[in-house]
Amino acid sequence: MSEQVKQLINQEYAAGFYSDIVSETLPPGLNETVIRFISAKKNEPEWLLEWRLKSYTAWLEMIEPEWAHVKYDDIDFQAVSFYSAPKSMDEKPKSLAEVDPELLRTYEKLGIPLHEQAALAGVAMDVVFDSVSVLTTFREKLFEVGVIFCSISEAVHKYPELVKKYLGSVVPQKDNYYAALNSAVFSDGSFVYIPKGVRCPMELSTYFRINEQNTGQFERTLIIADEGSHVSYLEGCTAPMRDENQLHAAVVELVACDNAVIKYSTVQNWYPGNAEGKGGIYNFVTKRGVCHTNAKISWTQVETGSAITWKYPSCILRGDNSVGEFYSVALTNNYQQADTGTKMIHIGKNTRSTIISKGISAGKSSNAYRGLVRMNPGADGARNYTQCDSLLIGDKCGAHTFPYIESKNPSAIIEHEATTSKVSDDQLFLCKQRGLDAEKAVSMIVNGFCRDVFKELPMEFAVEAGKLLQVSLEGSVG
Amino acid sequence: MLRITNLFAKVEEKEILKGLNLTINAGEVHAIMGPNGAGKSTLGNVLSGRDGYEVTDGKIDFNDKDLFALSTEERAREGLFLAFQYPVEIPGVSNMEFLKASVDAKRKHHGQSELSAVEFMKLARETSKRVSLDQAFLKRGVNEGFSGGEKKRNEILQMMLLEPSLCILDETDSGLDIDALQIVANGVNEMRSPERSFIIVTHYQRLLDYIVPDFVHVLANGRIVKTGGKQLALELEEKGYAWLEEEAV
């Protein structure tokens, strides 16, 4: 093996460092007092505390879902801390100058400069550290055109009518086990409102970071695109390398009013655990959007991290002529497990949905696509096209496809295509014979396989996603 | 350029090459012919270092280096090129991206800087003209949906871009019509130079009407059993291989 390949293989998860920051962390455990504490910490109105407590009561009676194609030991929710925030955030900083320099250094190390002049051109960023939002950039500039981009905690105070109207409107409190848990204990996340007819002038982005040990992250994101508006939003996430598993249970709700367009992209790079399968994030996430008349929601996800991924970004196509899209690349290596896909619920007439899913399994990992396409009785002329491709690297990994199709309307058209292929020895030999080393060859073949999805990502991130795949695949050949 | 001494090689526990000797000097074109199963393709695969081909004895010097000390990709970067009999497809990876990565890998190996996208584009366009391959092929996936002839021309395009010192053509003529054969042969002839050598593995003498070899070898039962000039190929066409195989035993 060449020296270069060895080096590549030994390269570690680059975001795996821990920042030494004094934090206020709740002792592990979950009960009503904890929920009251979180609510009080955020100085929340009474209705929201009630809402949380109702969710908690519901959660207590629910059981953890077991249908996913993943295996893990029972989670001890009493061993998880449900709130952790840097001490320096007690008084929310009003400007960058007031932010703890150690926090800023953390984001610099992650390659995310928070100084507006150094930031990626045209990207406004909300950064969430453990349980709190640290800072949101370009807020004034966005506000000039009426776009609201802030943390959800702030929105609760400043825009209570909007939050009250839409929170839980797409993902109800009792939707599922993890959504109920999130509704009870969510700590922070991003809030976006795009007013009627406005095309958001910048990419909006949230960067989630888990830092503290034994802490779960429960963020809540709510994006409302009012009539005829347009927004593109991207989230990224990383965590330190630890031997223990950590829990991340988020809820994302999107509302696309008539003629609105929301493009939601995710580059998920939570710590995946080590090569022996120790540690890593349990990523149990509920993401859903509702489309009103002529509206469109497009989910694009690149999932390379987490020990376990359980995630189904979905679209409820309520309005006539609305459009849902789901483009996904899910890569698993070593002992990672992913059960991910989407739900497209066609309610309105002439609704259309497209699902392109690319699953890549390497090492001893397991990768499942699970998707539901449902055509309701009123969905005249609705159409769906689904394409699920799996690529296997090596012979110890698994790929599975679980498509559920329910059509209650005879005029609806559903197409489903699925393929499974392997990175062949012949392909590898061709590349090596042309002077490419094995790592480069595999990453090129995998990138080619993912091309249809990468082209849906905003430009800057498509390049990043390609690099991320390369790093995540290290050690999978040779 | 290349000196093969007493080469023995196995594939899946089966001995295919049994004491093969061959010396190729710079600038020479050697044709290797022989019956099915004689080890012709094995020779190309052993030279380029394909997995699954186990060398049990012998020695190969390539440009004064021990070939077996080099990995598959290092051999390629040192100037050894194998044109495939059945080029595989790599869906979604554009031909352009693939070609640039190969050329850059070689340049880097020789301490040169990578070509800029613009420089490479210009070079690739000019070269694709030389093998009558439309520029649209540069944008398509590597060999993705190419016809047999287009795949072979794509191989010659890669050979031209990589400027190897030793080119091995493994039955490049199989499945080609006369027009495509001529394009491939012209490409090879254009590349003939005093510094570059060729090993042309073929079943038929037809290709050798277009690419005239300096030497013709007959490979049978894992060894070179006869060597001659270009007229040997004509003789083989007439008499077949049986008489040589008998001699070889």
Side-chain angles (χ1 to χ4, degrees):
Chain A
M1 206 189 309
S2 73
E3 208 38 50
Q4 207 185 351
V5 172
K6 261 189 205 157
Q7 262 179 13
L8 272 166
I9 289 172
N10 293 332
Q11 191 178 323
E12 289 191 336
Y13 177 72
F17 61 90
Y18 167 75
S19 309
D20 194 7
I21 281 170
V22 188
S23 287
E24 179 183 23
T25 304
L26 266 185
L30 181 57
N31 50 48
E32 233 182 86
T33 320
V34 166
I35 293 162
R36 287 180 187 281
F37 172 88
I38 294 170
S39 189
K41 194 79 198 162
K42 294 177 178 297
N43 205 12
E44 282 175 356
E46 191 57 31
W47 69 264
L48 192 51
L49 174 63
E50 297 279 311
W51 196 82
R52 286 176 180 275
L53 291 172
K54 216 172 112 191
S55 311
Y56 177 64
T57 315
W59 179 74
L60 285 175
E61 283 166 17
M62 294 169 90
I63 45 164
E64 224 174 313
E66 281 173 353
W67 42 260
H69 193 80
V70 294
K71 277 193 209 122
Y72 56 95
D73 292 335
D74 285 345
I75 298 171
D76 180 1
F77 290 95
Q78 298 307 332
V80 177
S81 167
F82 285 81
Y83 186 84
S84 177
K87 267 277 187 215
S88 59
M89 294 298 297
D90 271 357
E91 290 278 316
K92 178 144 185 167
K94 287 175 189 63
S95 71
L96 199 61
E98 291 178 19
V99 176
D100 179 355
E102 188 58 36
L103 271 174
L104 293 181
R105 267 194 292 278
T106 301
Y107 288 96
E108 249 162 57
K109 265 168 98 173
L110 292 168
I112 300 159
L114 296 179
H115 296 270
E116 291 190 359
Q117 58 272 36
L120 272 174
V123 181
M125 180 98 55
D126 183 25
V127 287
V128 177
F129 192 86
D130 289 330
S131 305
V132 287
S133 164
V134 173
L135 179 86
T136 313
T137 61
F138 294 106
R139 296 173 51 146
E140 289 78 17
K141 195 178 163 190
L142 290 167
F143 202 74
E144 280 169 24
V145 288
V147 170
I148 301 169
F149 183 35
C150 64
S151 74
I152 193 130
S153 310
E154 193 181 332
V156 167
H157 292 285
K158 284 195 176 162
Y159 315 100
E161 337 59 56
L162 282 173
V163 176
K164 215 170 167 174
K165 181 172 173 192
Y166 291 108
L167 188 73
S169 70
V170 188
V171 179
Q173 287 148 288
K174 289 186 232 175
D175 186 80
N176 67 69
Y177 188 77
Y178 296 107
L181 176 65
N182 175 286
S183 301
V185 302
F186 75 89
S187 40
D188 224 334
S190 299
F191 175 83
V192 174
Y193 174 77
I194 317 288
K196 274 184 196 172
V198 170
R199 197 182 172 92
C200 186
M202 307 178 87
E203 293 274 344
L204 304 184
S205 175
T206 304
Y207 193 90
F208 296 99
R209 174 81 177 164
I210 297 178
N211 190 57
E212 270 312 303
Q213 199 155 6
N214 300 326
T215 303
Q217 191 177 55
F218 307 91
E219 88 265 7
R220 185 112 198 167
T221 297
L222 178 57
I223 299 177
I224 302 147
D226 215 329
E227 287 172 26
S229 69
H230 190 290
V231 63
S232 170
Y233 176 93
L234 183 125
E235 60 171 359
C237 30
T238 56
M241 295 193 279
R242 295 186 193 288
D243 286 347
E244 304 81 35
N245 296 109
Q246 279 182 286
L247 181 62
H248 173 257
V251 171
V252 174
E253 295 179 280
L254 310 183
V255 179
C257 300
D258 294 355
N259 302 305
V261 177
I262 302 177
K263 186 175 170 62
Y264 192 106
S265 315
T266 303
V267 176
Q268 188 262 107
N269 186 26
W270 292 118
Y271 177 52
N274 69 11
E276 281 78 49
K278 208 167 163 64
I281 302 289
Y282 289 169
N283 192 34
F284 299 121
V285 172
T286 306
K287 291 182 165 174
R288 194 176 302 151
V290 61
C291 285
H292 295 279
T293 307
N294 296 324
K296 174 174 164 182
I297 289 179
S298 180
W299 298 98
T300 305
Q301 59 170 18
V302 177
E303 304 276 319
T304 60
S306 300
I308 297 175
T309 299
W310 181 97
K311 182 180 160 189
Y312 316 90
S314 305
C315 297
I316 299 169
L317 303 171
R318 179 164 294 150
D320 293 349
N321 310 315
S322 59
V323 176
E325 294 175 340
F326 175 74
Y327 301 99
S328 169
V329 166
L331 182 149
T332 52
N333 196 1
N334 298 320
Y335 286 88
Q336 283 177 274
Q337 307 175 65
D339 191 300
T340 184
T342 184
K343 285 192 269 187
M344 293 290 175
I345 311 296
H346 292 251
I347 298 171
K349 292 184 181 60
N350 300 316
T351 46
R352 280 162 294 145
S353 64
T354 304
I355 300 171
I356 309 281
S357 164
K358 305 274 182 179
I360 302 142
S361 335
K364 294 176 177 159
S365 66
S366 159
N367 201 325
Y369 167 81
R370 186 183 303 275
L372 167 68
V373 176
R374 179 189 292 157
M375 302 297 186
N376 275 18
D380 294 336
R383 290 196 69 139
N384 161 267
Y385 173 73
T386 300
Q387 186 187 331
C388 287
D389 297 327
S390 305
L391 183 69
L392 302 170
I393 302 171
D395 53 11
K396 297 196 169 60
C397 51
H400 313 269
T401 306
F402 305 99
Y404 303 81
I405 296 170
E406 295 171 15
S407 184
K408 290 172 185 149
N409 186 309
S411 69
I413 298 172
I414 301 169
E415 286 176 80
H416 183 99
E417 283 183 27
T419 66
T420 302
S421 53
K422 267 188 89 160
V423 172
S424 74
D425 291 342
D426 288 349
Q427 287 173 329
L428 277 178
F429 179 56
L430 168 63
C431 293
K432 288 203 248 179
Q433 212 301 306
R434 298 299 185 254
L436 308 178
D437 55 56
E439 296 280 334
K440 170 80 183 165
V442 168
S443 102
M444 199 178 228
I445 293 166
V446 169
N447 266 291
F449 175 74
C450 301
R451 169 157 300 198
D452 294 346
V453 174
F454 284 173
K455 68 178 202 284
E456 298 297 327
L457 283 172
M459 254 279 267
E460 305 86 323
F461 300 108
V463 178
E464 284 306 308
K467 283 188 200 150
L468 190 58
L469 279 196
Q470 193 168 349
V471 173
S472 303
L473 275 168
E474 268 149 27
S476 63
V477 284
Chain B
M1 169 75 60
L2 185 76
R3 193 163 61 247
I4 305 175
T5 318
N6 196 33
L7 180 65
F8 284 79
K10 287 199 289 195
V11 184
E12 287 168 0
E13 293 308 305
K14 189 170 180 242
E15 196 149 70
I16 307 282
L17 299 181
K18 303 166 191 169
L20 186 142
N21 292 292
L22 181 65
T23 299
I24 293 174
N25 296 308
E28 293 175 351
V29 175
H30 291 242
I32 296 193
M33 304 179 75
N36 288 329
K40 298 192 300 296
S41 289
T42 300
L43 178 62
N45 286 325
V46 167
L47 285 170
S48 51
R50 187 172 198 151
D51 284 345
Y53 290 79
E54 192 194 341
V55 174
T56 49
D57 201 4
K59 189 166 173 299
I60 302 179
D61 287 315
F62 173 54
N63 288 334
D64 302 322
K65 287 194 172 100
D66 173 9
L67 189 72
F68 298 141
L70 303 173
S71 68
T72 307
E73 57 269 31
E74 283 165 342
R75 294 177 197 189
R77 294 171 197 159
E78 285 283 327
L80 189 150
F81 183 93
L82 174 67
F84 290 89
Q85 185 179 359
Y86 304 109
V88 289
E89 302 189 359
I90 310 181
V93 176
S94 83
N95 220 1
M96 187 71 105
E97 182 190 353
F98 178 73
L99 295 172
K100 184 166 189 307
S102 327
V103 170
D104 284 342
K106 184 180 179 192
R107 290 180 65 92
K108 222 169 137 194
H109 182 75
H110 292 281
Q112 295 164 300
S113 62
E114 294 185 357
L115 290 175
S116 75
V118 177
E119 284 171 321
F120 183 76
M121 187 99 81
K122 192 163 170 267
L123 180 66
R125 282 188 180 152
E126 283 165 6
T127 313
S128 58
K129 267 186 217 150
R130 287 167 62 193
V131 290
S132 309
L133 211 50
D134 192 277
Q135 285 180 17
F137 285 92
L138 294 171
K139 287 188 187 155
R140 283 168 57 176
V142 177
N143 294 323
E144 201 179 350
F146 288 24
S147 72
E150 287 158 357
K151 282 182 182 171
K152 297 295 170 70
R153 279 186 272 159
N154 201 25
E155 294 289 290
I156 303 301
L157 168 67
Q158 290 165 42
M159 186 165 89
M160 286 175 164
L161 285 169
L162 287 166
E163 303 183 316
S165 56
L166 176 65
C167 309
I168 306 160
L169 280 71
D170 187 9
E171 301 197 23
T172 298
D173 50 336
S174 68
L176 287 191
D177 59 32
I178 290 291
D179 293 338
L181 188 72
Q182 220 152 18
I183 292 168
V184 166
N186 286 346
V188 170
N189 287 332
E190 244 183 78
M191 285 189 71
R192 285 177 84 152
S193 87
E195 294 82 39
R196 185 170 290 133
S197 313
F198 291 84
I199 298 176
I200 314 274
V201 175
T202 182
H203 263 299
Y204 305 104
Q205 107 84 23
R206 188 179 66 161
L207 178 67
L208 305 180
D209 286 341
Y210 299 97
I211 305 171
V212 182
D214 299 306
F215 299 94
V216 174
H217 307 278
V218 177
L219 179 57
N221 199 20
R223 284 185 301 152
I224 304 285
V225 295
K226 193 166 182 66
T227 295
K230 61 183 177 194
Q231 69 287 349
L232 177 58
L234 295 166
E235 203 178 333
L236 292 168
E237 181 96 332
E238 198 180 312
K239 293 161 78 177
Y241 296 113
W243 60 286
L244 286 167
E245 281 181 289
E246 278 158 31
E247 274 179 33
V249 175

